[in-house]
Amino acid sequence: MPLSEKHDETKTYDDILNAGPPLNQLAKEFITPTELFFVRNHASIPAVDLSNYRLVVNGLVSRELSLTLDEIKSGFEPQTLIATLQCAGNRRKELVDYKPIDDQLAWGIEAIGTATWTGLRLGDMLKAAGIASDRAAHIGFLGLDGIMRDGERSSYGSSIPLDKALACEVLLAYQMNGQDLPLAHGSPLRVIVPGYIGARSVKWLCGISVLEDPSDNYFQQVGYKLFPPSINMYNVNYADGMQLTKLPVNSVIVQPEDRSLMAAGKIAVEGYAMSDGEHEITWVSVSADGGETWQRAEFLNEPQLWTWQLWRTEFDLPSGTHELVVRAWDTAANSQPETIASTWNFKGYVNNAWHRVRITLK
Ligand code: MTE
């Protein structure tokens, strides 16, 4: 695979694949080729035996379901949607450089990709099971991968609010970019929750539960919670954390890369921007003088819901060192904080500070 693997320096994850595309291949196309789509795993990829595979739907339902992959594919109307998936840890490296963060992957800007997903609506599956109680407020997901923690094995899981689960963009996908879902991306079936942090899009899906409260899974109750900068691993009370759902507005310079040495003259600056998916990106501003003056970037694709926005602009720059900066707005006028100090949190999630790249021109 052309992805380069990512390791947490503080741990050895020998059999856990985490990888992203080389930066010179990131966001080159609107649809990310599958072999360049980042992979984020918390455990080893499970061996899935399709002859035994069943998706179980239970909890506050009128009918519990237990379905084979064939029953899932033939029993529900297929839906196709283009959606960007972005890890909550994307851009963590900038936070780590500002103040140390223990025990988390130091992703650069590559934990993001856009694919065409085909499957069925989660809402159609929930309709088939029937929501049996007006106490139902969350939909929980369980994956087949097992995580060992304190000597005990538990599955990867998460949940999303019921109203999002019933929205037409939320899919149970069995195809990615027109092919069967690859094992690394969750085959035979995964959740796709457009606009939410990638952690809610559970791979190797084996269970869906209709719940009164958010899932009690570790990755909902401890992992993927946001805390203000004053909280750290010594004073944290996980019950107080904010469960991450929608992604904040973000924009990133992909080219030129940070610390590039280039010839003075015309410099093309390119990158991506992304919001919570419900709002299109409406404006991307780029500066070549550290944020003193700005120019508007042009869009390389028609703005659309649930996907990133690729953009480009050009500067004519003399020799010397220059700081390129990007910031974006969405149609609800949401934008990005200026400094890393204001986005730093001890788990390193959802960094959306203005993105800065230093280049030296000769
Ligand atoms: N689902 C399971 N079962 N196990 C996981 O480790 N990782 C989550 C999510 N779903 C994960 C999972 C995270 S943190 C992200 S960002 C996305 O999957 C990444 O999906 P990808 O590997 O297809 O890019």
Side-chain angles (χ1 to χ4, degrees):
M1 115 170 10
L3 298 179
S4 48
E5 291 195 29
K6 195 104 210 149
H7 295 281
D8 183 332
E9 294 98 51
T10 62
K11 269 191 181 171
T12 31
Y13 288 115
D14 287 340
D15 62 342
I16 303 182
L17 176 65
N18 283 296
L23 295 189
N24 62 6
Q25 293 184 57
L26 174 66
K28 283 272 159 237
E29 295 167 71
F30 183 64
I31 303 284
T32 309
T34 303
E35 66 278 10
L36 291 173
F37 203 101
F38 81 100
V39 175
R40 173 63 174 121
N41 294 328
H42 290 270
S44 20
I45 292 175
V48 185
D49 173 5
L50 260 192
S51 60
N52 285 330
Y53 175 80
R54 297 287 182 282
L55 173 71
V56 172
V57 185
N58 60 19
L60 301 169
V61 292
S62 314
R63 293 166 291 284
E64 288 203 0
L65 305 176
S66 172
L67 302 170
T68 65
L69 187 64
D70 282 345
E71 287 168 335
I72 293 168
K73 284 183 171 175
S74 60
F76 297 86
E77 194 189 327
Q79 305 288 334
T80 294
L81 178 91
I82 301 175
T84 298
L85 211 60
Q86 185 178 181
C87 186
N90 196 30
R91 298 188 58 195
R92 183 179 285 124
K93 171 94 175 46
E94 296 156 64
L95 300 176
V96 173
D97 291 345
Y98 172 75
K99 200 152 83 163
I101 291 174
D102 288 338
D103 223 16
Q104 302 284 338
L105 290 172
W107 287 109
I109 56 172
E110 72 280 53
I112 186 166
T114 300
T116 303
W117 308 98
T118 301
L120 59 136
R121 288 200 175 119
L122 171 60
D124 288 348
M125 178 67 77
L126 293 173
K127 215 179 287 166
I131 298 201
S133 163
D134 55 15
R135 285 180 292 117
H138 298 268
I139 302 298
F141 307 119
L142 263 194
L144 285 166
D145 46 342
I147 288 128
M148 290 303 292
R149 188 167 297 102
D150 304 329
E152 278 191 28
R153 184 189 186 282
S154 60
S155 300
Y156 183 92
S158 80
S159 62
I160 59 173
L162 178 63
D163 56 351
K164 178 70 175 177
L166 294 174
C168 59
E169 70 273 9
V170 180
L171 299 186
L172 304 178
Y174 43 75
Q175 279 189 7
M176 177 180 186
N177 291 339
Q179 307 289 324
D180 284 349
L181 196 61
L183 189 56
H185 293 291
S187 166
L189 193 69
R190 76 172 300 169
V191 188
I192 293 293
V193 188
Y196 274 32
I197 60 163
R200 308 304 180 216
S201 292
V202 173
K203 304 193 277 189
W204 313 292
L205 183 71
C206 63
I208 297 176
S209 297
V210 180
L211 306 168
E212 209 170 326
D213 298 306
S215 163
D216 59 9
N217 191 275
Y218 175 88
F219 293 95
Q220 190 70 32
Q221 293 300 337
V222 177
Y224 297 105
K225 278 192 164 178
L226 186 68
F227 294 89
S230 58
I231 302 300
N232 57 48
M233 67 161 95
Y234 304 106
N235 65 8
V236 62
N237 172 9
Y238 280 101
D240 288 344
M242 298 164 260
Q243 292 176 349
L244 286 166
T245 55
K246 289 181 192 182
L247 288 158
V249 180
N250 214 334
S251 59
V252 165
I253 296 166
V254 177
Q255 291 298 330
E257 289 178 33
D258 196 26
R259 315 277 164 196
S260 294
L261 190 61
M262 307 164 81
K266 288 220 165 11
I267 303 292
V269 183
E270 294 173 353
Y272 62 79
M274 176 73 197
S275 180
D276 60 6
E278 276 176 39
H279 300 97
E280 294 155 4
I281 293 292
T282 185
W283 193 294
V284 172
S285 284
V286 188
S287 168
D289 54 12
E292 289 293 311
T293 58
W294 299 85
Q295 69 187 40
R296 189 176 185 177
E298 63 173 304
F299 288 171
L300 302 180
N301 57 276
E302 280 303 309
Q304 65 184 73
L305 300 180
W306 314 120
T307 71
W308 61 12
Q309 179 65 54
L310 301 186
W311 56 264
R312 178 188 190 283
T313 194
E314 203 172 88
F315 292 94
D316 200 356
L317 296 175
S319 56
T321 297
H322 304 269
E323 189 180 61
L324 304 173
V325 193
V326 66
R327 64 179 301 203
W329 287 259
D330 70 11
T331 51
N334 296 308
S335 191
Q336 303 173 234
E338 183 173 344
T339 64
I340 290 287
S342 51
T343 57
W344 191 91
N345 60 95
F346 86 105
K347 293 291 206 92
Y349 295 137
V350 291
N351 175 21
N352 70 331
W354 295 4
H355 187 234
R356 295 164 194 272
V357 160
R358 278 135 303 242
I359 55 171
T360 301
L361 306 184
K362 284 189 302 175

